[in-house]
Amino acid sequence: MRHILCMKWGTKYGPEYVNRLYAMVRRHLKGEFSFVCLTDRSEGIRPEVRCLPIPELKLPAGIPERGWTKLTTFEADLHGLKGTALFLDLDVVIVDDITPFFEVPGEFLIIHDWKRPWRITGNSSVYRFELGAHADVLAKFRVEHEAIRSKFRNEQAYLSDEIHQQGKLQYWDASWCASYKYHCIPSWPSSYWRDPIIPKGARILIFHGVMNPPDALAGRDNGNWRHARPARWIADHWRE
């Protein structure tokens, strides 16, 4: 069974992010799949999406979240789900067929971080794994979270290191997951007169930092490192 997993907690992202993500997956994934949203707020989410509670991570109160909650996708028994899961961040934009993400062999696949490619660190906006196969990663964090948080800045750094030590870390084809920040916005100063593009070979656009799809669509840089013109083509993809 193929599952698409996403996670929504708090109020940063509204239900429209889940609904549009489902619609993009439906347009770009061949064959049957289940779509699961782990969430504490299911209001307004379309009925095709199965909403399930986020497993409790038990983080100490007041610490920076930094995505640590994502580690609960590795529960030994995640609501009884079985099969292969592809996790997608809510703010990605799917622009081409994502069926190959389920076809590449490997135990654990993730984006290779673009900013420091000499490091093993992955970007966890898109990762694939067998449900229940990496429960040890979550169990270790629950026991050693203080030491782990002092060593690793965020969840994806810890996750990448742990899976790498087990010899199971693999990366997606470098062209498949493109950074909107690094690969879509033209270089300065041409970003002032050239529109953002979809890079050749890209299947999923990743929004990290201060820009989300609505910002890119409107041309709001939100203090981003580079000025960007409106990417009106996002409306063709980021829709229900």
Side-chain angles (χ1 to χ4, degrees):
M1 184 65 187
R2 300 182 304 172
H3 304 274
I4 299 294
L5 283 184
C6 68
M7 187 176 286
K8 184 176 87 71
W9 68 89
T11 58
K12 181 178 180 181
Y13 298 105
E16 70 277 8
Y17 278 81
V18 180
N19 296 339
R20 292 178 182 185
L21 182 60
Y22 173 85
M24 289 187 290
V25 170
R26 181 67 284 174
R27 289 193 292 271
H28 292 293
L29 178 57
K30 299 172 184 175
E32 295 303 312
F33 63 90
S34 78
F35 193 105
V36 175
C37 180
L38 300 174
T39 185
D40 57 358
R41 297 169 181 265
S42 60
E43 303 87 352
I45 295 178
R46 59 193 299 166
E48 299 96 330
V49 176
R50 184 181 180 189
C51 292
L52 297 171
I54 301 171
E56 192 173 356
L57 187 56
K58 298 181 180 178
L59 276 175
I63 72 163
E65 202 285 322
R66 290 178 177 165
W68 296 110
T69 305
K70 279 189 189 178
L71 294 176
T72 62
T73 59
F74 301 112
E75 281 281 14
D77 182 1
L78 186 62
H79 300 292
L81 299 173
K82 304 291 183 182
T84 305
L86 180 68
F87 182 92
L88 300 174
D89 269 354
L90 288 180
D91 57 355
V92 303
V93 173
I94 302 173
V95 296
D96 205 346
D97 184 18
I98 62 170
T99 309
F101 284 86
F102 283 99
E103 297 173 341
V104 178
E107 294 186 52
F108 186 91
L109 287 107
I110 195 169
I111 303 168
H112 197 181
D113 188 58
W114 310 280
K115 189 174 182 180
R116 298 178 179 89
W118 58 90
R119 296 183 178 180
I120 65 161
T121 302
N123 178 298
S124 62
S125 294
V126 181
Y127 60 91
R128 194 199 76 202
F129 64 104
E130 292 300 306
L131 288 155
H134 306 289
D136 54 317
V137 174
L138 174 58
K140 180 177 178 177
F141 179 79
R142 282 176 167 151
V143 174
E144 305 176 26
H145 63 83
E146 289 187 9
I148 290 170
R149 288 188 293 109
S150 67
K151 182 178 180 180
F152 299 101
R153 182 179 181 275
N154 52 34
E155 140 276 337
Q156 62 190 17
Y158 162 64
L159 174 61
S160 303
D161 183 80
E162 195 68 20
I163 299 294
H164 173 70
Q165 288 188 45
Q166 298 177 15
K168 300 173 182 177
L169 187 69
Q170 294 177 234
Y171 304 113
W172 301 117
D173 183 297
S175 66
W176 286 6
C177 299
S179 161
Y180 186 81
K181 178 178 179 178
Y182 295 131
H183 304 132
C184 299
I185 302 175
S187 59
W188 186 90
S190 64
S191 59
Y192 279 88
W193 62 82
R194 292 175 55 207
D195 291 341
I197 63 164
I198 298 176
K200 183 179 179 180
R203 299 177 185 271
I204 304 177
L205 304 184
I206 311 302
F207 288 79
H208 53 105
V210 296
M211 293 182 69
N212 283 327
D215 303 312
L217 177 61
R220 295 188 295 265
D221 57 28
N222 296 341
N224 192 27
W225 66 301
R226 186 186 296 163
H227 171 80
R229 289 169 56 85
R232 295 182 176 87
W233 46 262
I234 285 179
D236 297 331
H237 303 280
W238 197 66
R239 58 181 172 83
E240 293 188 38

